[in-house]
Short mmCIF file of all heavy atoms in Angstrom, two decimals:
data_model
loop_
_atom_site.label_atom_id
_atom_site.label_comp_id
_atom_site.label_asym_id
_atom_site.label_seq_id
_atom_site.Cartn_x
_atom_site.Cartn_y
_atom_site.Cartn_z
N MET A 1 -38.08 -62.35 20.46
CA MET A 1 -36.82 -62.86 20.91
C MET A 1 -35.78 -62.71 19.73
O MET A 1 -34.59 -62.74 20.06
CB MET A 1 -36.99 -64.22 21.33
CG MET A 1 -35.76 -64.73 22.17
SD MET A 1 -35.59 -63.91 23.75
CE MET A 1 -34.35 -64.76 24.48
N ARG A 2 -36.26 -62.70 18.59
CA ARG A 2 -35.32 -62.66 17.43
C ARG A 2 -34.44 -61.38 17.46
O ARG A 2 -33.33 -61.41 17.07
CB ARG A 2 -36.13 -62.76 16.16
CG ARG A 2 -35.26 -62.93 14.96
CD ARG A 2 -36.02 -63.12 13.72
NE ARG A 2 -35.19 -63.30 12.59
CZ ARG A 2 -35.55 -63.25 11.37
NH1 ARG A 2 -36.76 -63.01 11.10
NH2 ARG A 2 -34.76 -63.45 10.39
N ARG A 3 -35.09 -60.28 17.90
CA ARG A 3 -34.33 -59.01 17.91
C ARG A 3 -33.24 -58.97 18.90
O ARG A 3 -32.33 -58.19 18.78
CB ARG A 3 -35.31 -57.91 18.15
CG ARG A 3 -36.24 -57.60 16.95
CD ARG A 3 -37.12 -56.47 17.28
NE ARG A 3 -38.24 -57.06 18.04
CZ ARG A 3 -39.14 -56.46 18.70
NH1 ARG A 3 -39.08 -55.17 18.71
NH2 ARG A 3 -40.12 -57.02 19.29
N THR A 4 -33.28 -59.90 19.92
CA THR A 4 -32.19 -59.93 20.85
C THR A 4 -31.26 -61.09 20.72
O THR A 4 -30.48 -61.45 21.60
CB THR A 4 -32.77 -59.95 22.32
OG1 THR A 4 -33.65 -61.08 22.45
CG2 THR A 4 -33.57 -58.67 22.62
N ALA A 5 -31.35 -61.83 19.59
CA ALA A 5 -30.52 -62.96 19.36
C ALA A 5 -29.07 -62.53 19.28
O ALA A 5 -28.16 -63.39 19.50
CB ALA A 5 -30.96 -63.65 18.03
N TRP A 6 -28.76 -61.33 18.94
CA TRP A 6 -27.30 -60.92 18.83
C TRP A 6 -26.63 -61.07 20.19
O TRP A 6 -25.38 -61.24 20.17
CB TRP A 6 -27.27 -59.39 18.37
CG TRP A 6 -27.85 -58.43 19.35
CD1 TRP A 6 -29.18 -58.07 19.38
CD2 TRP A 6 -27.23 -57.77 20.39
NE1 TRP A 6 -29.40 -57.10 20.31
CE2 TRP A 6 -28.18 -56.95 21.04
CE3 TRP A 6 -25.93 -57.77 20.82
CZ2 TRP A 6 -27.88 -56.16 22.06
CZ3 TRP A 6 -25.60 -56.97 21.98
CH2 TRP A 6 -26.62 -56.16 22.56
N ILE A 7 -27.36 -61.02 21.30
CA ILE A 7 -26.75 -61.21 22.56
C ILE A 7 -26.09 -62.54 22.69
O ILE A 7 -24.98 -62.70 23.28
CB ILE A 7 -27.77 -60.94 23.69
CG1 ILE A 7 -28.31 -59.57 23.68
CG2 ILE A 7 -27.18 -61.35 25.06
CD1 ILE A 7 -29.49 -59.33 24.61
N TRP A 8 -26.71 -63.54 22.15
CA TRP A 8 -26.13 -64.93 22.19
C TRP A 8 -24.87 -65.04 21.32
O TRP A 8 -23.91 -65.66 21.71
CB TRP A 8 -27.19 -65.92 21.67
CG TRP A 8 -28.33 -66.01 22.59
CD1 TRP A 8 -29.63 -65.48 22.43
CD2 TRP A 8 -28.38 -66.66 23.90
NE1 TRP A 8 -30.35 -65.74 23.49
CE2 TRP A 8 -29.67 -66.47 24.45
CE3 TRP A 8 -27.43 -67.37 24.67
CZ2 TRP A 8 -30.03 -67.03 25.62
CZ3 TRP A 8 -27.82 -67.86 25.85
CH2 TRP A 8 -29.13 -67.69 26.41
N ALA A 9 -24.84 -64.27 20.23
CA ALA A 9 -23.73 -64.23 19.26
C ALA A 9 -22.51 -63.56 20.04
O ALA A 9 -21.41 -64.07 19.92
CB ALA A 9 -24.00 -63.63 17.98
N VAL A 10 -22.77 -62.44 20.67
CA VAL A 10 -21.74 -61.75 21.42
C VAL A 10 -21.20 -62.66 22.58
O VAL A 10 -20.00 -62.71 22.83
CB VAL A 10 -22.27 -60.41 21.94
CG1 VAL A 10 -21.25 -59.77 22.91
CG2 VAL A 10 -22.55 -59.49 20.77
N GLY A 11 -22.12 -63.30 23.26
CA GLY A 11 -21.66 -64.25 24.30
C GLY A 11 -20.81 -65.34 23.84
O GLY A 11 -19.77 -65.73 24.47
N SER A 12 -21.15 -65.91 22.62
CA SER A 12 -20.38 -66.98 22.04
C SER A 12 -19.04 -66.45 21.70
O SER A 12 -17.94 -67.14 21.94
CB SER A 12 -21.04 -67.50 20.79
OG SER A 12 -20.26 -68.54 20.24
N ALA A 13 -18.86 -65.30 21.13
CA ALA A 13 -17.57 -64.69 20.76
C ALA A 13 -16.76 -64.41 22.01
O ALA A 13 -15.52 -64.69 22.02
CB ALA A 13 -17.84 -63.41 19.97
N ALA A 14 -17.36 -63.97 23.09
CA ALA A 14 -16.62 -63.65 24.31
C ALA A 14 -16.07 -64.94 24.91
O ALA A 14 -14.92 -64.94 25.40
CB ALA A 14 -17.63 -62.94 25.29
N TRP A 15 -16.92 -66.01 24.91
CA TRP A 15 -16.41 -67.29 25.54
C TRP A 15 -15.37 -67.91 24.67
O TRP A 15 -14.38 -68.54 25.18
CB TRP A 15 -17.61 -68.17 25.72
CG TRP A 15 -18.39 -67.94 26.99
CD1 TRP A 15 -19.56 -67.32 27.06
CD2 TRP A 15 -17.89 -68.18 28.38
NE1 TRP A 15 -19.88 -67.18 28.44
CE2 TRP A 15 -18.88 -67.71 29.21
CE3 TRP A 15 -16.82 -68.76 28.92
CZ2 TRP A 15 -18.86 -67.82 30.59
CZ3 TRP A 15 -16.70 -68.80 30.30
CH2 TRP A 15 -17.76 -68.36 31.10
N THR A 16 -15.43 -67.73 23.31
CA THR A 16 -14.39 -68.25 22.46
C THR A 16 -13.05 -67.48 22.68
O THR A 16 -12.03 -68.06 22.77
CB THR A 16 -14.81 -68.10 20.99
OG1 THR A 16 -16.04 -68.85 20.81
CG2 THR A 16 -13.74 -68.65 20.06
N PHE A 17 -13.22 -66.12 22.84
CA PHE A 17 -11.97 -65.35 23.16
C PHE A 17 -11.40 -65.79 24.47
O PHE A 17 -10.21 -65.94 24.63
CB PHE A 17 -12.35 -63.84 23.21
CG PHE A 17 -11.22 -62.97 23.54
CD1 PHE A 17 -10.17 -62.78 22.68
CD2 PHE A 17 -11.14 -62.44 24.88
CE1 PHE A 17 -9.07 -61.92 23.03
CE2 PHE A 17 -10.06 -61.60 25.23
CZ PHE A 17 -8.97 -61.37 24.37
N ASP A 18 -12.17 -66.02 25.51
CA ASP A 18 -11.75 -66.57 26.81
C ASP A 18 -11.00 -67.90 26.66
O ASP A 18 -9.98 -68.11 27.26
CB ASP A 18 -12.92 -66.64 27.76
CG ASP A 18 -12.48 -67.14 29.14
OD1 ASP A 18 -11.54 -66.46 29.70
OD2 ASP A 18 -13.04 -68.03 29.66
N ALA A 19 -11.58 -68.77 25.83
CA ALA A 19 -10.94 -70.11 25.66
C ALA A 19 -9.56 -69.92 24.90
O ALA A 19 -8.60 -70.50 25.32
CB ALA A 19 -11.87 -71.01 24.78
N ILE A 20 -9.49 -69.01 23.98
CA ILE A 20 -8.15 -68.87 23.23
C ILE A 20 -7.11 -68.22 24.20
O ILE A 20 -5.99 -68.70 24.27
CB ILE A 20 -8.40 -67.94 22.08
CG1 ILE A 20 -9.23 -68.67 21.03
CG2 ILE A 20 -7.06 -67.47 21.46
CD1 ILE A 20 -9.72 -67.84 19.83
N VAL A 21 -7.60 -67.32 25.10
CA VAL A 21 -6.64 -66.71 26.02
C VAL A 21 -6.13 -67.79 26.99
O VAL A 21 -4.96 -67.84 27.35
CB VAL A 21 -7.26 -65.53 26.81
CG1 VAL A 21 -6.48 -65.13 28.00
CG2 VAL A 21 -7.55 -64.36 25.78
N ASN A 22 -7.05 -68.68 27.47
CA ASN A 22 -6.69 -69.68 28.41
C ASN A 22 -5.83 -70.79 27.76
O ASN A 22 -4.98 -71.38 28.39
CB ASN A 22 -7.90 -70.37 29.00
CG ASN A 22 -8.41 -69.47 30.13
OD1 ASN A 22 -7.80 -69.36 31.20
ND2 ASN A 22 -9.56 -68.84 29.96
N LEU A 23 -6.05 -71.00 26.39
CA LEU A 23 -5.09 -71.94 25.76
C LEU A 23 -3.65 -71.29 25.57
O LEU A 23 -2.70 -71.98 25.79
CB LEU A 23 -5.58 -72.19 24.34
CG LEU A 23 -6.65 -73.28 24.26
CD1 LEU A 23 -7.17 -73.42 22.77
CD2 LEU A 23 -6.21 -74.65 24.80
N TYR A 24 -3.60 -69.97 25.44
CA TYR A 24 -2.37 -69.34 25.38
C TYR A 24 -1.59 -69.51 26.72
O TYR A 24 -0.37 -69.63 26.75
CB TYR A 24 -2.56 -67.88 25.04
CG TYR A 24 -1.31 -67.03 25.08
CD1 TYR A 24 -0.43 -67.12 23.98
CD2 TYR A 24 -0.99 -66.18 26.11
CE1 TYR A 24 0.80 -66.40 23.96
CE2 TYR A 24 0.15 -65.42 26.14
CZ TYR A 24 1.06 -65.53 25.02
OH TYR A 24 2.19 -64.89 25.02
N TYR A 25 -2.35 -69.36 27.84
CA TYR A 25 -1.71 -69.49 29.14
C TYR A 25 -1.65 -70.94 29.66
O TYR A 25 -1.38 -71.15 30.85
CB TYR A 25 -2.40 -68.58 30.15
CG TYR A 25 -2.15 -67.05 29.96
CD1 TYR A 25 -3.20 -66.27 29.52
CD2 TYR A 25 -0.89 -66.59 30.18
CE1 TYR A 25 -2.86 -64.89 29.33
CE2 TYR A 25 -0.63 -65.27 29.93
CZ TYR A 25 -1.58 -64.42 29.51
OH TYR A 25 -1.37 -63.11 29.33
N ARG A 26 -1.93 -71.89 28.77
CA ARG A 26 -1.84 -73.29 29.05
C ARG A 26 -2.78 -73.75 30.20
O ARG A 26 -2.38 -74.59 31.01
CB ARG A 26 -0.43 -73.71 29.35
CG ARG A 26 0.53 -73.38 28.20
CD ARG A 26 1.84 -74.08 28.30
NE ARG A 26 2.87 -73.47 27.47
CZ ARG A 26 2.94 -73.63 26.20
NH1 ARG A 26 2.00 -74.16 25.51
NH2 ARG A 26 3.93 -73.03 25.48
N ASN A 27 -3.92 -73.17 30.26
CA ASN A 27 -4.96 -73.60 31.28
C ASN A 27 -5.97 -74.45 30.58
O ASN A 27 -7.08 -73.92 30.22
CB ASN A 27 -5.53 -72.32 31.90
CG ASN A 27 -6.44 -72.70 33.10
OD1 ASN A 27 -6.59 -73.87 33.39
ND2 ASN A 27 -6.93 -71.68 33.77
N ARG A 28 -5.60 -75.64 30.24
CA ARG A 28 -6.52 -76.38 29.36
C ARG A 28 -7.80 -76.79 29.93
O ARG A 28 -8.87 -76.70 29.13
CB ARG A 28 -5.76 -77.79 29.02
CG ARG A 28 -6.49 -78.57 28.01
CD ARG A 28 -5.63 -79.87 27.57
NE ARG A 28 -6.39 -80.64 26.71
CZ ARG A 28 -6.35 -80.57 25.43
NH1 ARG A 28 -5.66 -79.68 24.76
NH2 ARG A 28 -7.11 -81.45 24.75
N PRO A 29 -8.02 -77.09 31.20
CA PRO A 29 -9.38 -77.39 31.69
C PRO A 29 -10.32 -76.20 31.55
O PRO A 29 -11.44 -76.34 31.17
CB PRO A 29 -9.17 -77.72 33.17
CG PRO A 29 -7.79 -78.19 33.26
CD PRO A 29 -7.13 -77.40 32.26
N HIS A 30 -9.85 -75.05 31.88
CA HIS A 30 -10.76 -73.81 31.76
C HIS A 30 -10.99 -73.59 30.22
O HIS A 30 -12.11 -73.16 29.92
CB HIS A 30 -10.08 -72.62 32.34
CG HIS A 30 -10.95 -71.46 32.47
ND1 HIS A 30 -11.88 -71.21 33.45
CD2 HIS A 30 -11.18 -70.40 31.59
CE1 HIS A 30 -12.57 -70.11 33.30
NE2 HIS A 30 -12.13 -69.57 32.13
N ALA A 31 -10.06 -73.77 29.38
CA ALA A 31 -10.25 -73.55 27.94
C ALA A 31 -11.28 -74.42 27.29
O ALA A 31 -12.12 -74.08 26.60
CB ALA A 31 -8.96 -73.71 27.22
N GLU A 32 -11.20 -75.71 27.78
CA GLU A 32 -12.27 -76.74 27.31
C GLU A 32 -13.66 -76.33 27.77
O GLU A 32 -14.57 -76.44 27.02
CB GLU A 32 -11.91 -78.12 27.81
CG GLU A 32 -10.71 -78.70 27.11
CD GLU A 32 -10.29 -80.04 27.68
OE1 GLU A 32 -10.98 -80.53 28.69
OE2 GLU A 32 -9.42 -80.68 27.14
N LEU A 33 -13.77 -75.92 29.04
CA LEU A 33 -15.06 -75.49 29.55
C LEU A 33 -15.52 -74.23 28.78
O LEU A 33 -16.77 -74.16 28.47
CB LEU A 33 -14.92 -75.20 31.05
CG LEU A 33 -16.19 -74.71 31.81
CD1 LEU A 33 -17.25 -75.76 31.67
CD2 LEU A 33 -15.89 -74.38 33.17
N SER A 34 -14.66 -73.34 28.55
CA SER A 34 -15.05 -72.15 27.79
C SER A 34 -15.51 -72.44 26.39
O SER A 34 -16.43 -71.86 25.89
CB SER A 34 -13.85 -71.11 27.72
OG SER A 34 -13.55 -70.70 28.99
N PHE A 35 -14.82 -73.37 25.75
CA PHE A 35 -15.27 -73.77 24.36
C PHE A 35 -16.59 -74.43 24.44
O PHE A 35 -17.49 -74.19 23.57
CB PHE A 35 -14.24 -74.80 23.75
CG PHE A 35 -13.18 -74.04 23.04
CD1 PHE A 35 -11.82 -74.36 23.23
CD2 PHE A 35 -13.43 -73.11 22.00
CE1 PHE A 35 -10.79 -73.74 22.63
CE2 PHE A 35 -12.44 -72.49 21.33
CZ PHE A 35 -11.13 -72.78 21.59
N MET A 36 -16.89 -75.22 25.45
CA MET A 36 -18.16 -75.90 25.51
C MET A 36 -19.33 -74.81 25.68
O MET A 36 -20.38 -74.97 25.13
CB MET A 36 -18.23 -76.96 26.73
CG MET A 36 -17.51 -78.21 26.36
SD MET A 36 -17.73 -79.53 27.50
CE MET A 36 -16.71 -78.98 28.82
N ILE A 37 -19.01 -73.86 26.62
CA ILE A 37 -20.04 -72.82 26.84
C ILE A 37 -20.24 -71.99 25.56
O ILE A 37 -21.34 -71.63 25.25
CB ILE A 37 -19.60 -71.96 28.06
CG1 ILE A 37 -19.64 -72.81 29.29
CG2 ILE A 37 -20.45 -70.73 28.16
CD1 ILE A 37 -19.06 -72.14 30.54
N ALA A 38 -19.14 -71.75 24.84
CA ALA A 38 -19.25 -71.01 23.57
C ALA A 38 -20.11 -71.74 22.55
O ALA A 38 -20.93 -71.12 21.83
CB ALA A 38 -17.91 -70.74 22.95
N VAL A 39 -20.02 -73.05 22.51
CA VAL A 39 -20.79 -73.86 21.62
C VAL A 39 -22.27 -73.79 22.02
O VAL A 39 -23.21 -73.63 21.22
CB VAL A 39 -20.34 -75.30 21.52
CG1 VAL A 39 -21.31 -76.14 20.89
CG2 VAL A 39 -19.01 -75.34 20.88
N MET A 40 -22.52 -73.88 23.32
CA MET A 40 -23.91 -73.68 23.78
C MET A 40 -24.55 -72.28 23.42
O MET A 40 -25.69 -72.26 23.00
CB MET A 40 -24.05 -73.96 25.33
CG MET A 40 -23.72 -75.36 25.75
SD MET A 40 -23.76 -75.76 27.49
CE MET A 40 -24.49 -74.37 28.27
N PHE A 41 -23.77 -71.31 23.58
CA PHE A 41 -24.22 -69.90 23.19
C PHE A 41 -24.44 -69.89 21.71
O PHE A 41 -25.40 -69.29 21.24
CB PHE A 41 -23.22 -68.85 23.65
CG PHE A 41 -23.42 -68.35 25.02
CD1 PHE A 41 -23.07 -69.06 26.12
CD2 PHE A 41 -23.87 -67.04 25.17
CE1 PHE A 41 -23.41 -68.53 27.38
CE2 PHE A 41 -24.07 -66.51 26.41
CZ PHE A 41 -23.83 -67.29 27.54
N ALA A 42 -23.62 -70.51 20.89
CA ALA A 42 -23.80 -70.53 19.43
C ALA A 42 -25.02 -71.27 19.03
O ALA A 42 -25.83 -70.85 18.12
CB ALA A 42 -22.59 -71.14 18.76
N ILE A 43 -25.36 -72.35 19.70
CA ILE A 43 -26.55 -73.10 19.41
C ILE A 43 -27.84 -72.25 19.80
O ILE A 43 -28.80 -72.23 19.04
CB ILE A 43 -26.57 -74.45 20.16
CG1 ILE A 43 -25.49 -75.39 19.57
CG2 ILE A 43 -27.94 -75.14 20.12
CD1 ILE A 43 -25.23 -76.69 20.34
N ALA A 44 -27.71 -71.65 20.95
CA ALA A 44 -28.83 -70.81 21.34
C ALA A 44 -28.96 -69.64 20.38
O ALA A 44 -30.07 -69.24 20.00
CB ALA A 44 -28.55 -70.18 22.74
N TRP A 45 -28.00 -69.03 19.84
CA TRP A 45 -27.99 -67.96 18.83
C TRP A 45 -28.67 -68.49 17.60
O TRP A 45 -29.54 -67.79 16.99
CB TRP A 45 -26.62 -67.45 18.58
CG TRP A 45 -26.57 -66.42 17.44
CD1 TRP A 45 -27.21 -65.26 17.38
CD2 TRP A 45 -25.92 -66.59 16.23
NE1 TRP A 45 -26.93 -64.70 16.13
CE2 TRP A 45 -26.13 -65.51 15.40
CE3 TRP A 45 -25.11 -67.66 15.64
CZ2 TRP A 45 -25.62 -65.36 14.15
CZ3 TRP A 45 -24.59 -67.55 14.44
CH2 TRP A 45 -24.85 -66.37 13.71
N ALA A 46 -28.28 -69.63 17.12
CA ALA A 46 -28.89 -70.21 15.96
C ALA A 46 -30.36 -70.49 16.15
O ALA A 46 -31.23 -70.19 15.25
CB ALA A 46 -28.15 -71.54 15.59
N PHE A 47 -30.75 -70.95 17.30
CA PHE A 47 -32.15 -71.24 17.53
C PHE A 47 -32.93 -69.91 17.60
O PHE A 47 -34.04 -69.82 16.99
CB PHE A 47 -32.26 -72.03 18.85
CG PHE A 47 -33.67 -72.23 19.39
CD1 PHE A 47 -34.44 -73.13 18.75
CD2 PHE A 47 -34.26 -71.46 20.38
CE1 PHE A 47 -35.78 -73.34 19.12
CE2 PHE A 47 -35.57 -71.59 20.78
CZ PHE A 47 -36.34 -72.59 20.15
N TYR A 48 -32.50 -68.96 18.35
CA TYR A 48 -33.23 -67.65 18.53
C TYR A 48 -33.31 -66.84 17.23
O TYR A 48 -34.19 -66.11 17.03
CB TYR A 48 -32.82 -66.90 19.74
CG TYR A 48 -33.21 -67.52 21.01
CD1 TYR A 48 -32.31 -68.02 21.91
CD2 TYR A 48 -34.55 -67.63 21.30
CE1 TYR A 48 -32.73 -68.55 23.14
CE2 TYR A 48 -34.93 -68.22 22.46
CZ TYR A 48 -34.05 -68.63 23.40
OH TYR A 48 -34.45 -69.21 24.56
N SER A 49 -32.20 -66.95 16.41
CA SER A 49 -32.23 -66.04 15.22
C SER A 49 -33.14 -66.65 14.19
O SER A 49 -33.50 -65.89 13.24
CB SER A 49 -30.76 -66.00 14.69
OG SER A 49 -30.33 -67.27 14.28
N ARG A 50 -33.52 -67.87 14.27
CA ARG A 50 -34.37 -68.51 13.23
C ARG A 50 -35.88 -68.35 13.62
O ARG A 50 -36.72 -68.74 12.85
CB ARG A 50 -34.04 -70.00 13.04
CG ARG A 50 -32.61 -70.12 12.49
CD ARG A 50 -32.46 -71.52 11.96
NE ARG A 50 -31.06 -71.98 11.83
CZ ARG A 50 -30.20 -71.48 10.97
NH1 ARG A 50 -30.62 -70.52 10.17
NH2 ARG A 50 -29.01 -71.91 10.86
N GLN A 51 -36.15 -67.88 14.82
CA GLN A 51 -37.59 -67.80 15.21
C GLN A 51 -38.24 -66.71 14.44
O GLN A 51 -37.65 -65.66 14.13
CB GLN A 51 -37.66 -67.56 16.65
CG GLN A 51 -37.39 -68.73 17.53
CD GLN A 51 -37.63 -68.42 19.06
OE1 GLN A 51 -37.93 -67.28 19.39
NE2 GLN A 51 -37.74 -69.42 19.85
N GLN A 52 -39.58 -66.93 14.19
CA GLN A 52 -40.37 -65.92 13.44
C GLN A 52 -40.83 -64.87 14.45
O GLN A 52 -41.20 -65.20 15.61
CB GLN A 52 -41.47 -66.61 12.83
CG GLN A 52 -41.04 -67.63 11.83
CD GLN A 52 -41.80 -67.61 10.58
OE1 GLN A 52 -42.77 -66.87 10.44
NE2 GLN A 52 -41.45 -68.33 9.57
N THR A 53 -40.97 -63.61 13.98
CA THR A 53 -41.51 -62.60 14.80
C THR A 53 -43.03 -62.61 14.62
O THR A 53 -43.55 -63.00 13.61
CB THR A 53 -40.97 -61.22 14.39
OG1 THR A 53 -41.19 -61.01 13.03
CG2 THR A 53 -39.46 -61.14 14.71
N ARG A 54 -43.77 -62.12 15.59
CA ARG A 54 -45.18 -62.13 15.59
C ARG A 54 -45.72 -60.92 14.92
O ARG A 54 -45.21 -59.88 14.97
CB ARG A 54 -45.74 -62.30 17.01
CG ARG A 54 -45.46 -63.63 17.52
CD ARG A 54 -46.11 -63.67 18.93
NE ARG A 54 -45.71 -64.96 19.56
CZ ARG A 54 -46.15 -65.35 20.68
NH1 ARG A 54 -47.03 -64.63 21.36
NH2 ARG A 54 -45.77 -66.48 21.23
#
């Protein structure tokens, strides 16, 4: 799973970009949700990137 951890990093970046765009368009509820999802993706990325390969 460590070799595919980059998917979580890309997802985190995409959700962060979505949140920034929604802040620009003053859609605060969607921006907050996007930031929360981005944090969840970042935590998953940190977890999966630290796993040992077999």
Side-chain angles (χ1 to χ4, degrees):
M1 192 68 173
R2 185 177 185 195
R3 287 178 278 167
T4 58
W6 64 270
I7 295 170
W8 295 103
V10 170
S12 178
W15 280 106
T16 302
F17 177 75
D18 183 52
I20 291 169
V21 167
N22 280 292
L23 279 176
Y24 176 78
Y25 287 114
R26 303 193 195 290
N27 189 358
R28 187 173 173 94
H30 188 87
E32 289 176 355
L33 180 63
S34 296
F35 272 127
M36 286 191 284
I37 294 172
V39 168
M40 287 178 17
F41 270 72
I43 291 169
W45 171 64
F47 175 75
Y48 285 117
S49 65
R50 296 193 199 292
Q51 284 187 348
Q52 301 224 352
T53 56
R54 292 183 186 186

